[in-house]
Amino acid sequence: MFRHYATPAGERRAMLRRVKRVASARGLVVVVAGDSSIAADGVHGRVRARAIWRIRTWPAHDRAEALAGRRAGADALFVSPVHATRSHAGASGLGPARAMRIGRGLGIPVIALGGMDESRWRRIRRFGFHGWAAIDAWVR
């Protein structure tokens, strides 16, 4: 997921081009949050899509947001924060069981986000998550 909301538009597009090259070489998908006019594989969240996307992901911090994602046609839910994380400063994590219940039974893959790393993924995958995503785990 590519965010970088505060980055100036030209710089953001150039950064996204670099990210897309790396992602393509690794067989990964890039979804963009905040601006559907930037070309990527998909869109994240409540973005008015200006094009047909290959994938649409959705943020879910509670069951109501997960249901909204399903109604919007989301292909996957990013449920967060599973654990305490710097990007949600001061918020405690949902915990894996509660996080999984947010998206369970909706017929949409649920991806764990928030304080995740490979070690935590190995411990929580048994809850039924389809995968995990991270920010800080990749920059340490």
Side-chain angles (χ1 to χ4, degrees):
M1 179 190 325
F2 185 83
R3 290 182 178 171
H4 299 281
Y5 303 118
T7 305
E11 186 179 335
R12 187 171 190 242
R13 279 190 292 279
M15 185 185 305
L16 178 59
R17 280 193 297 274
R18 291 190 304 272
V19 167
K20 285 172 49 180
R21 276 195 302 273
V22 171
S24 177
R26 295 180 182 183
L28 302 173
V29 172
V30 177
V31 295
V32 174
D35 183 355
S36 67
S37 69
I38 298 176
D41 299 308
V43 64
H44 177 73
R46 297 180 188 275
V47 176
R48 281 189 191 254
R50 296 182 187 148
I52 296 176
W53 300 96
R54 198 170 103 193
I55 186 171
R56 181 180 197 132
T57 62
W58 198 266
H61 302 91
D62 57 37
R63 183 69 175 185
E65 287 180 331
L67 290 168
R70 181 170 183 243
R71 283 191 303 275
D75 297 297
L77 297 172
F78 282 96
V79 177
S80 72
V82 176
H83 300 285
T85 178
R86 197 168 47 106
S87 63
H88 287 79
S92 60
L94 297 163
R98 185 172 164 209
M100 190 60 220
R101 282 193 303 270
I102 287 173
R104 184 171 280 144
L106 296 179
I108 304 169
V110 178
I111 300 167
L113 176 63
M116 292 299 300
D117 59 26
E118 191 172 355
S119 173
R120 284 183 166 165
W121 167 243
R122 285 193 302 271
R123 290 193 305 270
I124 74 162
R125 67 186 311 164
R126 65 184 172 87
F127 286 90
F129 292 97
H130 289 80
W132 65 284
I135 299 168
D136 285 345
W138 310 116
V139 294
R140 292 182 188 170

